[in-house]
Amino acid sequence: GENVEQHPSTLSVQEGDSAVIKCTYSDSASNYFPWYKQELGKRPQLIIDIRSNVGEKKDQRIAVTLNKTAKHFSLHITETQPEDSAVYFCAASIRNAGNMLTFGGGTRLMVKP
Amino acid sequence: NAGVTQTPKFQVLKTGQSMTLQCAQDMNHNSMYWYRQDPGMGLRLIYYSASEGTTDKGEVPNGYNVSRLNKREFSLRLESAAPSQTSVYFCASSGPGPGEGEKLFFGSGTQLSVL
């Protein structure tokens, strides 16, 4: 089955700096890559996703890049703010194959004011 | 629109006890899921139901059973709880339209401790 590795497990940045979280996946058939944000004590929520026919996608301060050849994808957050502090999860799935998402282990991002 | 509602929010069990976690969604979604969340291990799929009347095992199904009662409800049962099942459990749903099938909507979670 699919295996998703996520790094780093913790990341501390100064407010205003950029943060990058990286994930690798094992199954070359995977074609859907979402990112979820989980604030402390809350439920995970989708923040951005990318499909394998696209190399990059942006939404305001967040962007995701995908390298299919190397089987890795990354989340980029620019101009970080204290409210970006949360645990971020990457995931991968084969679309139309039961929608079974395989999640990475998570990255705890701390943005220091 | 409540989204995905799961109960209870907290539960403490003794080893060997049984319990059922309840989940309901009001978004007319076809697919429903049960995940467990453990520190450093992300979210792992226990069981899922692609549509009413069907259920399939996920990555970590041992020790659990599920029932898709109808399109709205998907329950998770622990027949004989073990300390290894101490975790936070999330129910989720997705669907039904094109492009929406992959986006998961999560419930608020159940923190379960097995002593």
Side-chain angles (χ1 to χ4, degrees):
Chain A
E2 176 65 276
N3 182 48
V4 178
E5 301 276 346
Q6 182 172 348
H7 299 280
S9 57
T10 60
L11 178 60
S12 182
V13 299
Q14 207 67 36
E15 182 177 358
D17 288 349
S18 295
V20 180
I21 302 170
K22 300 181 179 181
C23 290
T24 60
Y25 61 98
S26 61
D27 192 336
S28 57
S30 289
N31 53 17
Y32 175 67
F33 308 93
W35 287 87
Y36 284 79
K37 175 183 180 182
Q38 185 180 28
E39 297 176 359
L40 188 62
K42 301 288 182 64
R43 70 195 75 190
Q45 291 189 299
L46 179 72
I47 55 171
I48 193 168
D49 58 12
I50 191 168
R51 304 181 192 284
S52 58
N53 58 344
V54 175
E56 183 176 2
K57 184 177 180 180
K58 289 183 180 180
D59 183 3
Q60 298 183 340
R61 296 187 296 107
I62 60 173
V64 58
T65 58
L66 171 66
N67 183 326
K68 286 176 59 181
T69 303
K71 290 191 284 188
H72 67 69
F73 55 113
S74 301
L75 178 71
H76 305 253
I77 306 174
T78 58
E79 300 173 16
T80 53
Q81 300 169 3
E83 53 264 38
D84 294 329
S85 296
V87 178
Y88 291 82
F89 294 98
C90 63
S93 75
I94 301 170
R95 196 176 173 195
N96 298 326
N99 295 332
M100 288 180 59
L101 279 174
T102 300
F103 284 85
T107 296
R108 181 173 298 279
L109 174 65
M110 294 170 285
V111 180
K112 295 178 288 186
Chain B
N1 238 5
V4 180
T5 303
Q6 62 179 104
T7 57
K9 291 190 183 302
F10 302 96
Q11 184 71 49
V12 179
L13 294 177
K14 294 181 180 178
T15 297
Q17 288 186 318
S18 62
M19 77 161 295
T20 300
L21 281 65
Q22 306 286 353
C23 177
Q25 52 90 11
D26 62 1
M27 295 176 283
N28 198 35
H29 285 171
N30 291 324
S31 300
M32 297 186 74
Y33 314 81
W34 277 104
Y35 284 89
R36 60 177 288 173
Q37 182 177 27
D38 301 292
M41 301 188 75
L43 293 144
R44 292 183 293 168
L45 184 64
I46 305 170
Y47 270 94
Y48 72 101
S49 171
S51 62
E52 184 178 355
T54 67
T55 61
D56 285 286
K57 295 178 180 179
E59 182 184 354
V60 288
N62 291 345
Y64 306 94
N65 284 302
V66 290
S67 295
R68 184 73 182 265
L69 304 170
N70 47 55
K71 190 171 186 178
R72 291 187 64 249
E73 298 173 288
F74 188 41
S75 63
L76 177 73
R77 183 162 178 83
L78 287 70
E79 290 291 352
S80 179
S84 61
Q85 294 179 304
T86 293
S87 188
V88 179
Y89 291 84
F90 285 98
C91 177
S93 68
S94 70
E100 291 292 321
E102 300 100 340
K103 180 179 179 180
L104 296 181
F105 292 83
F106 285 89
S108 57
T110 297
Q111 192 165 321
L112 175 66
S113 295
V114 183
L115 307 177

